[in-house]
Amino acid sequence: MKLHYGNHRGGALAALFVLLLPILLPTLFTPLGHASPSILSEWNAPKPRHSRLLKSALQRQTSNAQQSDLWIPLANQGWKPCVESTTAPTLPEKSQGYIQVFLDGGLNQQRMGICDAVAVAKILNATLVIPYLEVNPVWRDSSTFMDIFDVDHFINVLKDDISIVRELPYEFSWSTREYYAAAIRATRVKTAPLHASANWYLENVLPILQSYEIAAISPFSHRLAFENLPMDIQRLRCKVNFQALVFVPHVRALGDALVSRLRYPPRKRWSTWY
Ligand SMILES: *[C@@H]1O[C@H](CO)[C@@H](O)[C@H](O)[C@H]1NC(C)=O
């Protein structure tokens, strides 16, 4: 399209074009992630890939009793907690530096990523910065670690295993998500393979820590192997998942309220509950 700014008709046409632009190209004019739902919901409408399954699930009648059964803890199947170690946990004499991780995925993936981050910090004798939870493009949940998990409890339960800081000290405050998004940076570890071994971290991340006293690992989801890790590292992962990570009180209260609703539907217990 050629616009003639010199003559009047061309100028008017150009002005009209500029006026119409938001209508022709609406997404250009809405901030990322906040496009008007009427337009986006049509474009992003999920496609029912398993429509037969979905239909039968919706048609199936589930009684209240069955629903509340879902929330009852499973019967003991002989599994035993393995978080107790035979040797007392020890903190390294000297921290090798700071480990920062940026976790994408849904909450479950992020939770696994937190367990892995503690394990990697332990492998490297590093100080862990409270992990950064990326906003997931599907859920668009911007909650931070401390919005979801009890940070004091997390740090306290792991205090004899690794050092954890809520945020970087001032001299490293340049090391942010924005800093790593803007250019290639020497302190960013971008190439951690899926299910990397402990040795991979010792060979590839330790030198960065030794040079810069900080390493930011992103992406980090699923970047630590399940197999062939020292037993104490595996135990530490379990300890993070089953002891260190607890939800903040208002999330727990919501969970408890949902469970009691399902177990004791309000209509039946009206008189005693209200
Ligand atoms: C971490 O500390 C332990 C004990 O203090 C030591 O044996 C190990 O070599 C250290 N590893 C690194 C990577 O600093």
Side-chain angles (χ1 to χ4, degrees):
M1 181 174 195
K2 217 170 169 191
L3 296 176
H4 304 274
Y5 289 101
N7 73 39
H8 272 303
R9 266 185 51 203
L13 251 180
L16 186 67
F17 180 72
V18 168
L19 279 177
L20 284 176
L21 210 52
I23 298 166
L24 297 173
L25 294 168
T27 46
L28 272 183
F29 291 84
T30 42
L32 208 66
H34 299 283
S36 89
S38 59
I39 294 159
L40 267 191
S41 53
E42 261 176 31
W43 290 353
N44 285 350
K47 297 185 182 59
R49 282 180 212 176
H50 304 288
S51 55
R52 266 192 310 147
L53 275 178
L54 177 67
K55 228 178 262 167
S56 77
L58 288 176
Q59 278 165 0
R60 196 168 0 155
Q61 297 291 320
T62 317
S63 69
N64 270 335
Q66 276 173 318
Q67 270 182 28
S68 62
D69 279 354
L70 276 180
W71 298 90
I72 291 172
L74 288 174
N76 180 347
Q77 296 174 327
W79 294 96
K80 289 198 191 94
C82 67
V83 292
E84 296 309 335
S85 173
T86 47
T87 54
T90 48
L91 280 174
E93 279 158 32
K94 178 184 161 291
S95 170
Q96 296 278 7
Y98 293 96
I99 285 287
Q100 237 179 339
V101 297
F102 299 85
L103 299 176
D104 35 37
L107 186 57
N108 197 36
Q109 242 175 323
Q110 289 172 331
R111 188 180 179 113
M112 282 171 60
I114 294 164
C115 300
D116 292 349
V118 170
V120 165
K122 183 72 186 176
I123 290 166
L124 296 169
N125 289 344
T127 300
L128 179 69
V129 185
I130 287 291
Y132 183 97
L133 307 186
E134 297 280 359
V135 177
N136 181 279
V138 177
W139 315 117
R140 305 226 177 129
D141 178 359
S142 58
S143 306
T144 63
F145 185 104
M146 59 181 87
D147 291 334
I148 300 172
F149 300 111
D150 183 334
V151 179
D152 289 331
H153 179 84
F154 182 74
I155 294 176
N156 192 42
V157 166
L158 297 170
K159 69 178 189 306
D160 297 325
D161 297 286
I162 65 164
S163 306
I164 302 173
V165 291
R166 289 159 180 270
E167 49 191 50
L168 285 165
Y170 182 74
E171 73 237 67
F172 293 106
S173 56
W174 46 266
S175 179
T176 62
R177 192 183 176 283
E178 290 68 36
Y179 174 78
Y180 294 111
I184 294 172
R185 311 289 190 182
T187 51
R188 173 166 176 196
V189 178
K190 207 178 172 178
T191 53
L194 284 172
H195 307 300
S197 66
N199 268 338
W200 189 89
Y201 285 95
L202 290 170
E203 282 162 17
N204 296 277
V205 182
L206 190 57
I208 296 179
L209 285 179
Q210 286 166 342
S211 303
Y212 302 97
E213 290 175 57
I214 184 165
I217 313 175
S218 171
F220 185 66
S221 290
H222 308 292
R223 287 328 198 259
L224 183 63
F226 286 110
E227 309 287 333
N228 299 323
L229 287 177
M231 207 47 181
D232 275 349
I233 297 292
Q234 301 286 40
R235 284 207 184 88
L236 181 57
R237 263 173 156 172
C238 288
K239 185 172 177 181
V240 181
N241 196 22
F242 294 105
Q243 294 180 355
L245 282 175
V246 301
F247 293 121
V248 287
H250 73 261
V251 174
R252 288 209 302 273
L254 178 65
D256 290 345
L258 284 173
V259 170
S260 59
R261 278 282 160 137
L262 280 166
R263 285 197 183 161
Y264 314 108
R267 242 180 305 162
K268 287 184 197 158
R269 299 280 177 122
W270 193 266
S271 53
T272 52
W273 278 69
Y274 292 90

